[in-house]
Amino acid sequence: MIQNPPNLGIDLDPVRHPEGCRPGIDCDTWLIRGARVIDPNNQLDTCTDVYIADGLIVGMGAAPAAFVLEQAQQVDAQGQWLIPGVIDTWARLREPGQEHKATIATETLAAVASGITTLCIPPDTDPVLDTVAVARFIKRRAQLAGRARVVAIGALTQGLKGELLAEMAELTEGGCVAISNAHYPVRDLRLLRRALEYAATFDILVVIQPEDPSLAKWGCAHEGIIATRLGLPGIPVSAETAPLAQLLAIIAETGARIHINNLSSRAAVRLIEQAKSEGLPVTASVSAHHLWLSEMDTDTLCGNTHVQPPLRSLRDRDALRSALADGTIDCVISDHQPHESDAKLAPFPATEPGISGLETLLPLVLKLVDDGLLTLERALDALTRRPADLFGLTNSGRIELGARADLALINPDTLWTLDETTLQSAGRDTPFFGWDFRHQTTATWVNGKQVFFRADGPVMSQ
Amino acid sequence: MTSLPELKSANQLLDDCLQNLQWAIEQGQLNNPLMVGIHSGGVWVAEALHQRLQLSEPLGKLNITFYRDDFNTLGLHPQVAPSQLPVDIDGRDIILVDDVLYTGRTIRAAMNELFDYGRPARIWLAVLFERDGRELPISAQTVGQRLVLSPRQQIHVDGPHPLTAHIVTREEIA
Amino acid sequence: MAVNFVRPLIPKLATDPWAIQFDAAGHLKHLLTIEGLGSTWITRILDTAEGFMSVSDRDIKKVPLLRGRTVVNLFFEASTRTRTTFELAAKRLSADVLNINLSTSATTKGESLLDTLRNIEAMQADMFVVRHEQSGAAHFIARHAAPHVSVLNAGDGWHAHPTQALLDAFTIRRIKGEFAPLRIAIVGDVKHSRVARSQIHAFNSLNVGELRVIGPRTLIPNDIEPLGVRVYHDMRAGLKDVDIIIMLRLQRERMESGLLPSEQEFYRLYGLTEEKLKWAKPDAIVMHPGPANRGVEIESRVADGPQSVILQQVSNGIGVRMAVMALCMSAES
């Protein structure tokens, strides 16, 4: 079995600097004072001081012996929350290949400004992420940007064409945290079964977004009353459940670790629930917007509610919410797809699907907590620890001694509105303009280095 | 406050018009005329005159909504009673009837519409009231009463039974 | 009189796509869908159309109402017949008419659709009559057109074809008078029909007694009952006591995409023959948005028979379209 190496976006040479931090270059020493430090998985919810050095959390409460307080930068974080940095396991940054939509530099800034410290990017880049060279390119671009950690999800098949297997072992050795065919189908079930068997050999996580291309053909909205009324070609729930059921049958035989990405329907949730109860190695994610929007939000005057999978009924949305709450759905993703404005300037069915989701990921999930639909513990678990464990980012997504200092400082009581001025992403395609949120990221650390700081945020001192 | 001019009674107005029209027919100025009223006040007047003149052919009715030049500012009235010209108007003498001749624009629109139906030999204009304020070079041959009014004053004709007329003064804008 | 008929329970959307049809003063500016017009506006359009019908009976079939205005027929989907009726309506209002036929292949990208729009606007157009294969295209154009431009939807994807529904309502009103006592059945490919969707909204707004759709499950969309219809899969049951039968056009592609086994089977089960017509009320009228596929959805003897009002629909279409153009263009000032 090959152990996934830690994949560190800010690490030039993982051999020389296994912890991904070059002292004096990438790292600073920090003392974050008095924040409410929350890490549910460590039963941690207390106001304390956190000491950071060499890219790691080196002390909590009292200063560790080697910590030189005079050299540390300090933040007075009273009244704020310090949480593990959010790990978004499915975000398109559009680089390489579609830099007219967004770049790694623009999107990693948007990420850290919203509490996200790690981004996993799917392999549908151009060129396709089916070689280590592409993975390295992405890593280098992220290092240059110097904001969030960016890790790659390699391709399952060469060119994502669903014909020949990609070199998945080499891809994972070269830094990919999982493999996937993104939203491209593998039509040949025999090939899919073999791909999963091969992945299982090396315990590689396979991310699959179930959508049957023939059932979803031409569709752009949930097949239901709204699509019927607006004359929009529909995508039935079976476009998700039929391939999911097939996949689960194959997993039962192959034993590969599968992460089902971006669930949209109640029926699919039931299938996952059943598979988990049978002990299948299946986990699942949902996008933050599917937790808040439904077909009722379909706005044909604007393509910003055209997403894939489609926004389904209110009943489906409620099922996704409770599945997240009870852990049937493991994590929440942004499914970030920044677009240039022209991509959405067309009649609804002709717009490109996807929304700019990075900056609403954490606020939307915490809004569920505010509404009493989710515990803070489960919310943070779904955004930090759980994805870290699933994607082999074993030293991230937690606040404990020796953990990587990927942290977000959140002001839990700022009323702010998402609008053109507050949105950082190059993709302006969000249906959440005008929404009010309460939780705002004020500062972010990646690898112990402060990568984002809100000007009206906490008080800094040297 | 200015005193309002005295209006003749409807019967008196109709009688005066009738006399003038009969005279024109006798003089040969109007030959076997066809009467056409402009919707809606003109139609009421025309119905009364048509009956008294005992013209053999049915009365024509014009609705000039589609010919107005103020369509942009006034919009379109939804219930437009369509124009009815039951007889071919080519080469005919036409008595065009309206209640009030003011700016002349209604008459222009009516004449435009008439010419879309055919080419009359002559159009003779008969109105109950002729007042000042012409914006087009149009005059009536048969007039029941001539009036000079302030721009704020308007003559309102109600009908068809009984046919009445009164002057209304728009409130001055403070 | 129908009883226990369920009125539409259309859930409210977060953003009402029809609100854009009205200007700030509440006057109709664009006609994109029947939804949101309500019986007041529909009746107003039908009443106005009555006035325009007389224009078509004259020697000079023209009134100067829209003199100097430019109407652009922007057709991204070929349709000579529909385009001609809009063209005739505009010309009878004395507007200048420009026909632009664009294959959608040239405008698959949204940016070029907008570019096309800007280019035509630069020609000082006052009204766009739009037909497009994508649902919502007319809304999209209305949203992005210059403020003085009115947009008429001449059919967008499966979504709406409001002037067709209005002319059908106009035809029914002229023949039957009242809507409340009527049972109306729409037969055939409802799923892909923008005509059917607009008819459903129009007839429900006008409070018809009962509205039915008849067809196989592949051609009747899911969740259509909440729009205010009863679904029938059997012609004999569906046509019972019906006053108005509206046959929809069946596109040949439906057989290729596996929605139907064959034209013959469809004709046998759902094609309107003289025999099936007897299942409806004796004075039932037969309508079709045209062009009819004889021998596929309708028998020639029915299409040309005494109960057919198909040709009246065509001539009424001109008056209704004149009315809509005149009403929308009078909103701009």
Side-chain angles (χ1 to χ4, degrees), chain C residues 187-189 235 247-252 263 266-267 270-273 276 286-300 302:
Chain C
V187 185
D189 186 3
M235 272 294 255
M247 301 304 298
L248 298 173
R249 183 178 160 79
L250 186 75
Q251 308 279 349
R252 309 247 157 192
E263 287 178 2
F266 181 81
Y267 184 63
Y270 300 101
L272 191 63
T273 55
K276 290 192 195 113
V286 177
M287 303 175 77
H288 193 296
N293 292 313
R294 286 151 190 263
V296 179
E297 70 258 357
I298 193 164
E299 187 182 16
S300 269
V302 174

CSV table of all heavy atoms in Angstrom, one decimal, chain C residues 187-189 235 247-252 263 266-267 270-273 276 286-300 302:
chain,number,residue,atom,x,y,z
C,187,VAL,N,-54.9,17.9,-27.1
C,187,VAL,CA,-54.5,16.5,-27.4
C,187,VAL,C,-53.2,16.4,-28.1
C,187,VAL,O,-52.9,17.2,-29.0
C,187,VAL,CB,-55.6,15.9,-28.3
C,187,VAL,CG1,-55.3,14.4,-28.5
C,187,VAL,CG2,-57.0,16.0,-27.8
C,188,GLY,N,-52.3,15.5,-27.6
C,188,GLY,CA,-51.1,15.2,-28.3
C,188,GLY,C,-49.8,15.5,-27.5
C,188,GLY,O,-49.8,15.2,-26.3
C,189,ASP,N,-48.9,16.1,-28.2
C,189,ASP,CA,-47.5,16.3,-27.6
C,189,ASP,C,-47.5,17.5,-26.7
C,189,ASP,O,-47.0,18.6,-27.1
C,189,ASP,CB,-46.5,16.4,-28.7
C,189,ASP,CG,-45.1,16.4,-28.1
C,189,ASP,OD1,-44.9,16.3,-26.9
C,189,ASP,OD2,-44.1,16.6,-28.9
C,235,MET,N,-58.5,8.6,-25.3
C,235,MET,CA,-59.2,9.6,-26.1
C,235,MET,C,-60.7,9.5,-25.8
C,235,MET,O,-61.4,10.6,-25.7
C,235,MET,CB,-59.0,9.3,-27.6
C,235,MET,CG,-57.8,10.0,-28.2
C,235,MET,SD,-57.9,11.8,-28.1
C,235,MET,CE,-58.2,12.2,-29.8
C,247,MET,N,-56.0,20.1,-31.2
C,247,MET,CA,-55.0,19.1,-31.6
C,247,MET,C,-53.6,19.8,-31.7
C,247,MET,O,-53.5,20.9,-32.3
C,247,MET,CB,-55.3,18.5,-32.9
C,247,MET,CG,-56.7,17.7,-33.0
C,247,MET,SD,-56.9,16.5,-31.7
C,247,MET,CE,-55.6,15.3,-32.1
C,248,LEU,N,-52.6,19.2,-31.2
C,248,LEU,CA,-51.2,19.7,-31.3
C,248,LEU,C,-50.5,19.1,-32.4
C,248,LEU,O,-50.7,17.9,-32.7
C,248,LEU,CB,-50.5,19.6,-29.9
C,248,LEU,CG,-51.1,20.2,-28.7
C,248,LEU,CD1,-50.3,19.8,-27.5
C,248,LEU,CD2,-51.1,21.8,-28.9
C,249,ARG,N,-49.5,19.8,-32.9
C,249,ARG,CA,-48.7,19.2,-34.0
C,249,ARG,C,-47.7,18.2,-33.4
C,249,ARG,O,-47.1,18.5,-32.4
C,249,ARG,CB,-47.9,20.4,-34.7
C,249,ARG,CG,-47.1,19.9,-35.8
C,249,ARG,CD,-46.5,21.2,-36.5
C,249,ARG,NE,-45.3,20.8,-37.3
C,249,ARG,CZ,-45.4,20.3,-38.5
C,249,ARG,NH1,-46.6,20.2,-39.1
C,249,ARG,NH2,-44.3,20.0,-39.2
C,250,LEU,N,-47.6,17.1,-34.0
C,250,LEU,CA,-46.6,16.1,-33.6
C,250,LEU,C,-45.4,16.2,-34.5
C,250,LEU,O,-45.4,16.0,-35.7
C,250,LEU,CB,-47.2,14.7,-33.7
C,250,LEU,CG,-46.4,13.6,-33.1
C,250,LEU,CD1,-46.4,13.6,-31.6
C,250,LEU,CD2,-46.8,12.2,-33.6
C,251,GLN,N,-44.2,16.5,-33.8
C,251,GLN,CA,-43.0,16.6,-34.5
C,251,GLN,C,-42.4,15.2,-34.9
C,251,GLN,O,-42.5,14.3,-34.0
C,251,GLN,CB,-41.9,17.3,-33.7
C,251,GLN,CG,-42.4,18.6,-33.2
C,251,GLN,CD,-42.3,19.8,-34.2
C,251,GLN,OE1,-41.7,19.6,-35.2
C,251,GLN,NE2,-42.9,20.9,-33.9
C,252,ARG,N,-41.9,15.1,-36.0
C,252,ARG,CA,-41.3,13.7,-36.5
C,252,ARG,C,-40.2,13.2,-35.5
C,252,ARG,O,-40.1,12.0,-35.3
C,252,ARG,CB,-40.7,13.8,-37.9
C,252,ARG,CG,-41.6,14.4,-38.9
C,252,ARG,CD,-42.1,13.4,-39.9
C,252,ARG,NE,-43.4,14.0,-40.4
C,252,ARG,CZ,-44.2,13.4,-41.2
C,252,ARG,NH1,-44.0,12.1,-41.5
C,252,ARG,NH2,-45.3,14.0,-41.6
C,263,GLU,N,-45.9,6.8,-36.1
C,263,GLU,CA,-46.9,7.7,-36.4
C,263,GLU,C,-48.3,6.9,-36.5
C,263,GLU,O,-49.3,7.5,-36.1
C,263,GLU,CB,-46.7,8.4,-37.7
C,263,GLU,CG,-45.6,9.4,-37.7
C,263,GLU,CD,-45.3,10.0,-39.0
C,263,GLU,OE1,-46.0,9.7,-40.0
C,263,GLU,OE2,-44.4,10.9,-39.1
C,266,PHE,N,-49.7,6.3,-33.1
C,266,PHE,CA,-50.2,7.5,-32.5
C,266,PHE,C,-51.5,7.9,-33.2
C,266,PHE,O,-52.5,8.2,-32.5
C,266,PHE,CB,-49.2,8.6,-32.7
C,266,PHE,CG,-49.7,9.9,-32.1
C,266,PHE,CD1,-49.5,10.1,-30.7
C,266,PHE,CD2,-50.2,10.9,-32.9
C,266,PHE,CE1,-50.0,11.3,-30.1
C,266,PHE,CE2,-50.7,12.1,-32.3
C,266,PHE,CZ,-50.5,12.3,-30.9
C,267,TYR,N,-51.6,7.8,-34.5
C,267,TYR,CA,-52.8,8.1,-35.2
C,267,TYR,C,-54.0,7.2,-34.8
C,267,TYR,O,-55.1,7.7,-34.5
C,267,TYR,CB,-52.6,8.0,-36.7
C,267,TYR,CG,-53.8,8.5,-37.5
C,267,TYR,CD1,-54.2,9.8,-37.5
C,267,TYR,CD2,-54.4,7.6,-38.4
C,267,TYR,CE1,-55.3,10.2,-38.3
C,267,TYR,CE2,-55.5,8.0,-39.1
C,267,TYR,CZ,-56.0,9.3,-39.1
C,267,TYR,OH,-57.0,9.7,-39.8
C,270,TYR,N,-54.6,8.4,-30.9
C,270,TYR,CA,-54.8,9.8,-30.5
C,270,TYR,C,-55.2,10.6,-31.7
C,270,TYR,O,-55.5,11.8,-31.5
C,270,TYR,CB,-53.6,10.3,-29.8
C,270,TYR,CG,-53.4,9.6,-28.5
C,270,TYR,CD1,-52.3,8.7,-28.4
C,270,TYR,CD2,-54.2,9.8,-27.4
C,270,TYR,CE1,-52.1,8.0,-27.2
C,270,TYR,CE2,-53.9,9.2,-26.2
C,270,TYR,CZ,-52.9,8.2,-26.1
C,270,TYR,OH,-52.6,7.6,-24.9
C,271,GLY,N,-55.0,10.2,-32.9
C,271,GLY,CA,-55.3,11.0,-34.1
C,271,GLY,C,-56.8,11.3,-34.1
C,271,GLY,O,-57.7,10.4,-33.8
C,272,LEU,N,-57.2,12.5,-34.5
C,272,LEU,CA,-58.6,12.9,-34.4
C,272,LEU,C,-59.3,12.5,-35.8
C,272,LEU,O,-59.0,13.2,-36.8
C,272,LEU,CB,-58.8,14.4,-34.1
C,272,LEU,CG,-60.2,14.8,-33.8
C,272,LEU,CD1,-60.7,14.2,-32.6
C,272,LEU,CD2,-60.3,16.4,-33.7
C,273,THR,N,-60.1,11.5,-35.7
C,273,THR,CA,-60.8,11.0,-36.9
C,273,THR,C,-62.3,11.4,-36.7
C,273,THR,O,-62.7,11.8,-35.6
C,273,THR,CB,-60.7,9.5,-37.0
C,273,THR,OG1,-61.2,8.9,-35.8
C,273,THR,CG2,-59.3,9.1,-37.2
C,276,LYS,N,-63.7,9.4,-33.8
C,276,LYS,CA,-63.4,9.9,-32.5
C,276,LYS,C,-64.1,11.2,-32.2
C,276,LYS,O,-64.4,11.5,-31.0
C,276,LYS,CB,-61.9,10.0,-32.3
C,276,LYS,CG,-61.1,8.7,-32.3
C,276,LYS,CD,-59.7,8.8,-31.8
C,276,LYS,CE,-58.9,7.6,-32.2
C,276,LYS,NZ,-57.8,7.9,-33.2
C,286,VAL,N,-63.1,22.0,-33.6
C,286,VAL,CA,-61.8,21.5,-33.7
C,286,VAL,C,-60.8,22.5,-34.0
C,286,VAL,O,-61.0,23.3,-35.0
C,286,VAL,CB,-61.8,20.3,-34.7
C,286,VAL,CG1,-60.4,19.8,-34.9
C,286,VAL,CG2,-62.7,19.2,-34.4
C,287,MET,N,-59.7,22.6,-33.3
C,287,MET,CA,-58.7,23.7,-33.5
C,287,MET,C,-57.4,23.0,-33.7
C,287,MET,O,-57.1,21.9,-33.2
C,287,MET,CB,-58.7,24.7,-32.3
C,287,MET,CG,-60.0,25.3,-32.1
C,287,MET,SD,-60.0,26.4,-30.6
C,287,MET,CE,-59.2,27.8,-31.3
C,288,HIS,N,-56.5,23.7,-34.3
C,288,HIS,CA,-55.1,23.2,-34.5
C,288,HIS,C,-54.2,24.5,-34.7
C,288,HIS,O,-54.6,25.3,-35.5
C,288,HIS,CB,-55.0,22.3,-35.7
C,288,HIS,CG,-53.8,21.5,-35.8
C,288,HIS,ND1,-52.5,22.1,-36.0
C,288,HIS,CD2,-53.5,20.2,-35.7
C,288,HIS,CE1,-51.6,21.2,-36.0
C,288,HIS,NE2,-52.2,20.0,-35.9
C,289,PRO,N,-53.1,24.5,-34.0
C,289,PRO,CA,-52.2,25.7,-34.2
C,289,PRO,C,-51.5,25.7,-35.5
C,289,PRO,O,-51.0,26.8,-35.9
C,289,PRO,CB,-51.2,25.6,-33.0
C,289,PRO,CG,-51.2,24.2,-32.7
C,289,PRO,CD,-52.5,23.6,-33.0
C,290,GLY,N,-51.6,24.6,-36.2
C,290,GLY,CA,-51.0,24.5,-37.6
C,290,GLY,C,-49.5,24.5,-37.6
C,290,GLY,O,-48.9,24.9,-36.6
C,291,PRO,N,-48.9,24.1,-38.6
C,291,PRO,CA,-49.5,23.4,-39.7
C,291,PRO,C,-49.8,21.9,-39.3
C,291,PRO,O,-49.0,21.3,-38.7
C,291,PRO,CB,-48.5,23.4,-40.8
C,291,PRO,CG,-47.2,23.6,-40.1
C,291,PRO,CD,-47.5,24.3,-38.8
C,292,ALA,N,-51.0,21.4,-39.7
C,292,ALA,CA,-51.4,20.1,-39.3
C,292,ALA,C,-50.7,19.0,-40.1
C,292,ALA,O,-50.5,19.2,-41.3
C,292,ALA,CB,-52.9,20.0,-39.4
C,293,ASN,N,-50.4,17.9,-39.4
C,293,ASN,CA,-49.9,16.7,-40.1
C,293,ASN,C,-51.1,15.9,-40.3
C,293,ASN,O,-51.6,15.2,-39.4
C,293,ASN,CB,-48.9,16.0,-39.2
C,293,ASN,CG,-47.6,16.7,-39.0
C,293,ASN,OD1,-47.1,17.2,-39.9
C,293,ASN,ND2,-47.2,16.7,-37.8
C,294,ARG,N,-51.7,16.0,-41.5
C,294,ARG,CA,-52.8,15.1,-41.8
C,294,ARG,C,-52.5,13.7,-41.8
C,294,ARG,O,-51.4,13.3,-42.4
C,294,ARG,CB,-53.4,15.6,-43.2
C,294,ARG,CG,-54.1,16.9,-43.1
C,294,ARG,CD,-54.1,17.7,-44.4
C,294,ARG,NE,-54.6,19.0,-44.2
C,294,ARG,CZ,-55.8,19.4,-44.4
C,294,ARG,NH1,-56.7,18.5,-44.9
C,294,ARG,NH2,-56.2,20.6,-44.2
C,295,GLY,N,-53.3,12.9,-41.2
C,295,GLY,CA,-53.0,11.4,-41.1
C,295,GLY,C,-52.0,11.1,-40.0
C,295,GLY,O,-51.6,10.0,-39.8
C,296,VAL,N,-51.6,12.1,-39.2
C,296,VAL,CA,-50.8,11.8,-38.1
C,296,VAL,C,-51.5,12.2,-36.8
C,296,VAL,O,-51.8,11.4,-35.9
C,296,VAL,CB,-49.4,12.6,-38.1
C,296,VAL,CG1,-48.6,12.3,-36.9
C,296,VAL,CG2,-48.6,12.2,-39.4
C,297,GLU,N,-51.9,13.5,-36.7
C,297,GLU,CA,-52.7,13.8,-35.5
C,297,GLU,C,-54.1,14.2,-35.9
C,297,GLU,O,-55.0,14.3,-35.0
C,297,GLU,CB,-52.1,15.0,-34.7
C,297,GLU,CG,-52.1,16.4,-35.4
C,297,GLU,CD,-50.8,16.7,-36.0
C,297,GLU,OE1,-49.8,16.0,-35.9
C,297,GLU,OE2,-50.7,17.8,-36.7
C,298,ILE,N,-54.4,14.4,-37.2
C,298,ILE,CA,-55.8,14.7,-37.5
C,298,ILE,C,-56.1,14.2,-38.9
C,298,ILE,O,-55.2,14.2,-39.8
C,298,ILE,CB,-55.9,16.3,-37.5
C,298,ILE,CG1,-57.4,16.7,-37.6
C,298,ILE,CG2,-55.1,17.0,-38.6
C,298,ILE,CD1,-57.7,18.1,-37.1
C,299,GLU,N,-57.3,13.7,-39.1
C,299,GLU,CA,-57.8,13.2,-40.4
C,299,GLU,C,-58.2,14.4,-41.2
C,299,GLU,O,-58.7,15.4,-40.7
C,299,GLU,CB,-59.0,12.3,-40.1
C,299,GLU,CG,-59.5,11.6,-41.3
C,299,GLU,CD,-60.8,10.8,-41.0
C,299,GLU,OE1,-61.4,11.0,-40.0
C,299,GLU,OE2,-61.1,9.9,-41.8
C,300,SER,N,-57.9,14.3,-42.5
C,300,SER,CA,-58.2,15.4,-43.4
C,300,SER,C,-59.7,15.8,-43.4
C,300,SER,O,-60.0,17.0,-43.4
C,300,SER,CB,-57.8,15.1,-44.9
C,300,SER,OG,-56.5,15.4,-45.1
C,302,VAL,N,-61.6,15.7,-41.0
C,302,VAL,CA,-61.9,16.5,-39.8
C,302,VAL,C,-61.3,17.9,-39.9
C,302,VAL,O,-62.0,18.9,-39.6
C,302,VAL,CB,-61.4,15.8,-38.5
C,302,VAL,CG1,-61.6,16.7,-37.3
C,302,VAL,CG2,-62.1,14.5,-38.3
